[in-house]
Amino acid sequence: MVNIEVPKPYTASPSSLSGTPHLTINREATIDLDSTNAFEGPEKLLEVWFSPSPSALPGSTAPNGLKAVSAETWKEMLDLVNCKVLSIVESEHVDAYLLSESSMFVFPHKLILKTCGTTTLLCGLPGILEIAALSAGFPHVRGNLARGIATAATPYRVFYSRKNFLFPNLQRGPHRSWRDEVKSLDKLFLGGSAYMIGKMNGEHWYLYLTAPNTILTPPATPDGQENETKILKIPKSMAAAALNGLKADGGQDETLEVLMTDLNEENAKQFYLDNASAVAEGRYFQRNHRSRSHAREELGILGGGEFEDMHINGSVPRNGNGYFGQDGVDVFSNTSSDNSEIASDEEDVFPEELTTEGHALGTVISETSGLTNVYPTARFPEARIDAYLFTPCGFSANGVVPSPEGAKGTHYFTVHVTPEPHCSYASFETNVPGRQTGRETAEVVEQVVNIFKPGRFSVTLFEAKPDAAEIGLLNGDLDTLAEIKSLERQAARRSARMEKIKGYRRVDRIVHDLDGYDLVFRYYERYDWKGGAPRLGELGF
């Protein structure tokens, strides 16, 4: 049982004083928000690291790194991307921004930006480099005015990826083709590598990444002048911190992404506003009836009476602007509340926020769909979900998942759904370490897939792979090498389990040994699915 509450805009939960995640809602950005034409579900995903770990921030940087940057500054950058901030969940280690088109996560040392539709994500990248330099204090160099950056922080690593688009002809700016995206990135970074993973005439995934200690592309030299290209060298202390950061900051960096298409139409219906409102209405009145019956039994009242309208355990407004009783959903908390109310049948008024798009219905759907059970509060008691349901359909949610007791760090997950049959799509992404869930990666994938029952889906698993020889050399520690070997054996066992996802056959498995990472791409189709060949709007470059 949980409590539905839509907080007033720009207020912090009292729990924030003790470091618990709290929510801020941008009311203005939610006015007239409509997902009718947001049919390009596959997202563009950008990760920019300015340091190998939170504990390895350069001395010039603000103590909390990128988290020192104000929300207003990030909003200006997001204007270039063509999306708005709907709400923010702030926590000690990460700030989660729910956007009109997907999500952004800001850690002290890195930023993750994920946008769908026809957003122009890469247009915001120069601004991110400039903000990291000017507002967060990361080491920087003179930028390229021709590309709109006067000053640019030097990233540690950059990752950009996406699935093949369904409607590439509708994309804008540098996103009209993968070739254009690579050119745009190469203008900023020297020595980046671009990959296409999967079948060119089937489902595939694109990846661009830079090597550790990324080098910015130098500005063009004016005629008659010749500038020396300066290579920034990362101090040995930072290199050591990068290698030791696996232990210092809570373990391996890993990202799991599940990209689903051809969703089962019955499962997709729960992400339509009309359906969600009907579900919420039924639950609301059923709960109110149970609450009144229980209260009458407790008070010994068999019929109406002088106690019928009294409040129990606090006041609860009945105008739809406050608490909904003990079975509601609180966008601050996934835990239950003791607030409840006895109200007469005549005064039962269905709250307006459960009939319109917004955070209230988004949070209801998070619970009824089963998303709140992916990382349950029984194991992650401080986890928070911020969700939004769009008009006439569509859904986005960010989850902030502090590590359970005894572990370090705060992680995230994010879910985005485009349920229309002609372009149905859902994505799930998380960096919650598998060992913290107490479950195999395959179990998490099965649980997510069961919510949507897609006809087909792909899974990418990105796992940091420290260089055993280099770590052993730095640490002079055979125990470290043994631990790495143990991690490799665990990865092999997880890999074998991923071959068997209940109800699906694995079609493709592609493994890439990248600089510092292992990447495994898998593609699955449902056994009883008869949808035909993949709907490809984009072939190759």
Side-chain angles (χ1 to χ4, degrees), residues 125-161:
L125 181 52
I128 292 171
L129 301 179
E130 189 171 47
I131 289 168
L134 299 180
S135 299
F138 281 94
H140 54 275
V141 296
R142 179 170 61 88
N144 191 331
L145 290 174
R147 298 184 193 116
I149 2 176
T151 301
T154 306
Y156 173 69
R157 294 203 79 164
V158 177
F159 305 84
Y160 174 72
S161 63

Side-chain angles (χ1 to χ4, degrees), residues 142-144 147 185-191 215-220:
R142 179 170 61 88
N144 191 331
R147 298 184 193 116
L185 289 161
D186 279 345
K187 286 179 180 178
L188 290 172
F189 310 114
L190 283 178
I215 302 170
L216 293 172
T217 300

Side-chain angles (χ1 to χ4, degrees), residues 401-420:
V401 187
S403 298
E405 187 175 355
K408 294 183 178 180
T410 297
H411 302 90
Y412 73 89
F413 73 88
T414 184
V415 179
H416 302 282
V417 186
T418 302
E420 296 95 325

Side-chain angles (χ1 to χ4, degrees), residues 206-274:
Y206 296 105
L207 171 67
Y208 180 99
L209 77 164
T210 65
N213 309 327
T214 299
I215 302 170
L216 293 172
T217 300
T221 303
D223 292 338
Q225 299 183 26
E226 195 168 315
N227 292 333
E228 178 186 357
T229 299
K230 295 182 178 179
I231 305 300
L232 290 181
K233 294 185 178 180
I234 303 298
K236 289 184 179 180
S237 60
M238 182 177 284
L243 296 169
N244 292 325
L246 296 178
K247 290 184 178 180
D249 296 300
Q252 278 193 303
D253 170 47
E254 60 183 75
T255 302
L256 171 68
E257 194 174 20
V258 185
L259 308 178
M260 299 163 275
T261 58
D262 303 283
L263 310 183
N264 179 282
E265 291 191 21
E266 286 301 314
N267 292 62
K269 283 180 181 178
Q270 60 191 322
F271 301 101
Y272 280 78
L273 191 145
D274 288 346

Side-chain angles (χ1 to χ4, degrees), residues 48-63:
V48 186
W49 293 55
F50 293 96
S51 174
S53 71
S55 63
L57 296 178
S60 63
T61 309

